[in-house]
Amino acid sequence: MAASAESGGGEGVLSRVVRILQQFGPDTPVLRVSEVARRTELHLATASRLVEEMVRLGLLARDADRRVRIGLRLWELASRTPPTLGLREAAMPYLEDLHAVSGHHAQLAVLDDGEALFVERLSAPGAVVNITTIAGRLPLHASSSGLVLLAHAPAELQERILAGPLKRYTGHTPGSPAALRSMLAEIRRAGFVSCPGFIDAHATGIAAPIRDAGGRVVASLGVVIPNDDEARSQIPAVRAAARGVTRALSDGGHGKASR
Amino acid sequence: MAASAESGGGEGVLSRVVRILQQFGPDTPVLRVSEVARRTELHLATASRLVEEMVRLGLLARDADRRVRIGLRLWELASRTPPTLGLREAAMPYLEDLHAVSGHHAQLAVLDDGEALFVERLSAPGAVVNITTIAGRLPLHASSSGLVLLAHAPAELQERILAGPLKRYTGHTPGSPAALRSMLAEIRRAGFVSCPGFIDAHATGIAAPIRDAGGRVVASLGVVIPNDDEARSQIPAVRAAARGVTRALSDGGHGKASR
């Protein structure tokens, strides 16, 4: 009975805590408690007490001016055994090589909640524009990483994405269900995708699938490079790197930890 | 009043949630709910309900066999604006170069709660033994990264660590307050530390301080390489890389996000 009462109270509190954590993002790394309250639609007193408790436990950290940010302890708890640890460890050497060869961005994405979630990225200073960040997300239909994941996703998810809306970032982003459907078939046939100017006119994304020991696509590996005549020359390197990670996942028994 | 009652209940719940998250580590990435209950000393019913709620919110994820692990959503919330984002972005290019040149491990650590907390690590397959992991911790007195942080830490922390106990991993680990005190002075004078065999007889750690725009030491950058005659030849590369990150932090205005 006591347990039930405790968890009953906890349900609401935990949801609110997650809602508070969701307010921190690339554009809002630091927030005042009043901003937290406004954004979460919590009473200021409730937000203040929850934030206070989160600071005490290290889930949030307070700046000198009393604004709050994600706490080092929360990062540590989430990163000590990250859901993508096995995948990241298998992929990192290949990601580094690809980054060294491409000279721009190399990145690793997994499918989560109908989007491409980027779990690692290596970038060179001065590299071509790339809107992804670590733990950032992009739509499946518009990004090279996302298209590879979508091409191998369950049919229900494919149909949901095909049903739209298909946001067009540029004139090259696939904007019709027919165009997207044929692109997905081509990705499955060719084993990679090259997306010149799909998200930014100046950038080309190239990505290929990573499979677990059972042959299931669990991630995509790719580069973002300048959109020029040389771009397609990177395709073999991306495909080879994705195959290398696939082999490492099968050899190393990392498959179970890949998601 | 309502807010007060809610937060009163929340206090206990959040502490328990953190206690549950703390049970997941490199040796225990996946746990049964009964193991969670036993390790946290929570009633099984309480643990079950909290775990259920954490799974629903994506803080934990459930395997096919109903065991749980850290959830992708928790990782995302913690990693989108990590406390060390500015530091990591400034350090990553230098860390990659150092890793390429040393051929073994290159790593980045910050001081947290009297220990060295490793916020990034690049490792080559087949590299020399290195017990650190990302989001892992090592004692300040025994690791090269920790010694650099300790040498520049507040006097109270230095005195607390000097008061011991000073765990000796090998015969080379500083084991007396006098030896440690003179080592810290030497690190401040020389601007780096080289630790042959301090933690493992076969490995040498070399580390140097990273400073923010105000000159405060906010992190240490280092390598772990084989403990042989060549080890000291890596010192200039480590020192140069740490200076490069320091400069990047000052130039880029990343200083405020360095912790």
Side-chain angles (χ1 to χ4, degrees):
Chain A
M1 298 301 110
S4 167
E6 283 163 8
S7 323
E11 244 177 322
V13 169
L14 251 198
S15 297
R16 286 188 204 111
V17 163
V18 171
R19 198 135 49 93
I20 289 173
L21 293 174
Q22 282 170 334
Q23 307 313 317
F24 297 88
D27 298 332
T28 51
V30 185
L31 290 169
R32 297 186 184 287
V33 174
S34 56
E35 292 171 314
V36 170
R38 185 174 50 74
R39 289 165 154 266
T40 53
E41 299 180 1
L42 290 171
H43 288 295
L44 183 59
T46 308
S48 296
R49 281 168 184 268
L50 279 174
V51 164
E52 193 65 46
E53 177 67 6
M54 290 168 80
V55 168
R56 196 180 65 76
L57 292 167
L59 304 181
L60 296 178
R62 213 186 274 282
D63 279 3
D65 62 359
R66 296 192 51 80
R67 294 187 304 169
V68 287
R69 58 171 64 237
I70 295 294
L72 200 56
R73 187 61 44 97
L74 178 66
W75 175 85
E76 181 186 5
L77 290 171
S79 304
R80 227 160 25 156
T81 58
T84 55
L85 181 63
L87 172 64
R88 185 186 183 281
E89 291 196 340
M92 209 59 186
Y94 296 93
L95 210 57
E96 287 182 52
D97 289 345
L98 203 52
H99 176 224
V101 170
S102 85
H104 287 267
H105 310 278
Q107 54 200 25
L108 183 66
V110 298
L111 179 65
D112 184 66
D113 203 15
E115 294 178 303
L117 172 65
F118 291 87
V119 297
E120 190 52 82
R121 189 184 73 154
L122 298 176
S123 297
V128 69
V129 59
N130 181 356
I131 67 173
T132 70
T133 55
I134 292 174
R137 290 169 173 270
L138 278 180
L140 294 176
H141 74 283
S143 59
S144 57
S145 302
L147 282 163
V148 164
L149 295 169
L150 184 58
H152 299 279
E156 312 87 81
L157 177 61
Q158 291 186 356
E159 293 308 320
R160 178 155 70 81
I161 301 294
L162 283 160
L166 300 173
K167 177 181 171 183
R168 303 195 76 182
Y169 289 81
T170 71
H172 297 283
T173 315
S176 78
L180 181 53
R181 201 182 290 274
S182 78
M183 191 173 290
L184 297 180
E186 175 60 18
I187 293 169
R188 285 189 294 270
R189 193 197 61 74
F192 73 93
V193 71
S194 172
C195 305
F198 279 26
I199 288 189
D200 182 290
H202 301 292
T204 292
I206 299 171
I210 294 172
R211 296 172 188 273
D212 67 11
R216 197 171 63 96
V217 172
V218 291
S220 68
L221 184 73
V223 295
V224 176
I225 53 180
N227 182 7
D228 60 24
D229 294 347
E230 297 295 308
R232 292 189 64 86
S233 68
Q234 299 285 342
I235 293 172
V238 172
R239 298 186 65 190
R243 292 177 65 98
V245 181
T246 294
R247 197 174 55 247
L249 282 177
S250 293
D251 292 352
H254 286 296
K256 65 177 167 56
S258 66
R259 263 300 301 281
Chain B
M1 296 302 113
S4 168
E6 281 163 11
S7 322
E11 246 177 319
V13 169
L14 253 197
S15 297
R16 287 190 203 109
V17 162
V18 170
R19 198 136 47 96
I20 289 173
L21 293 174
Q22 282 171 335
Q23 307 313 316
F24 298 88
D27 298 331
T28 50
V30 186
L31 291 170
R32 298 187 184 286
V33 173
S34 57
E35 293 171 314
V36 170
R38 184 173 52 73
R39 288 165 154 267
T40 52
E41 298 181 2
L42 291 170
H43 289 294
L44 182 59
T46 308
S48 295
R49 280 166 184 269
L50 280 174
V51 164
E52 193 64 46
E53 178 67 4
M54 291 168 79
V55 168
R56 197 180 64 78
L57 292 167
L59 305 181
L60 296 177
R62 213 185 275 282
D63 280 2
D65 62 359
R66 296 191 52 78
R67 294 188 303 169
V68 287
R69 58 170 66 235
I70 296 295
L72 199 57
R73 187 60 45 96
L74 178 67
W75 175 85
E76 181 186 6
L77 290 170
S79 304
R80 225 157 30 153
T81 58
T84 55
L85 180 64
L87 172 65
R88 185 186 183 281
E89 291 197 340
M92 209 61 186
Y94 296 94
L95 208 58
E96 287 182 52
D97 290 344
L98 203 51
H99 176 222
V101 170
S102 84
H104 288 268
H105 310 278
Q107 54 199 24
L108 183 66
V110 299
L111 179 65
D112 184 67
D113 203 15
E115 294 178 302
L117 173 64
F118 290 88
V119 297
E120 190 53 81
R121 189 183 73 153
L122 297 177
S123 297
V128 69
V129 59
N130 180 357
I131 66 173
T132 70
T133 55
I134 293 175
R137 290 169 172 270
L138 277 180
L140 294 175
H141 75 282
S143 59
S144 57
S145 302
L147 282 163
V148 164
L149 295 169
L150 184 58
H152 299 278
E156 312 86 84
L157 177 60
Q158 290 185 357
E159 294 308 320
R160 177 154 70 82
I161 301 294
L162 283 160
L166 299 173
K167 177 182 171 182
R168 303 195 77 181
Y169 289 80
T170 70
H172 297 283
T173 315
S176 78
L180 181 54
R181 200 181 290 274
S182 79
M183 191 173 291
L184 297 180
E186 176 59 17
I187 293 169
R188 284 189 296 269
R189 194 196 61 74
F192 73 92
V193 70
S194 173
C195 306
F198 279 27
I199 288 188
D200 182 290
H202 302 291
T204 291
I206 298 171
I210 294 172
R211 296 172 188 272
D212 67 11
R216 197 172 63 98
V217 172
V218 291
S220 67
L221 183 73
V223 294
V224 175
I225 53 180
N227 183 8
D228 60 24
D229 294 345
E230 297 295 306
R232 291 188 66 87
S233 69
Q234 299 286 341
I235 292 172
V238 172
R239 297 186 66 190
R243 292 177 66 98
V245 181
T246 294
R247 197 175 54 247
L249 282 177
S250 294
D251 293 351
H254 286 295
K256 66 178 167 53
S258 65
R259 264 299 302 281

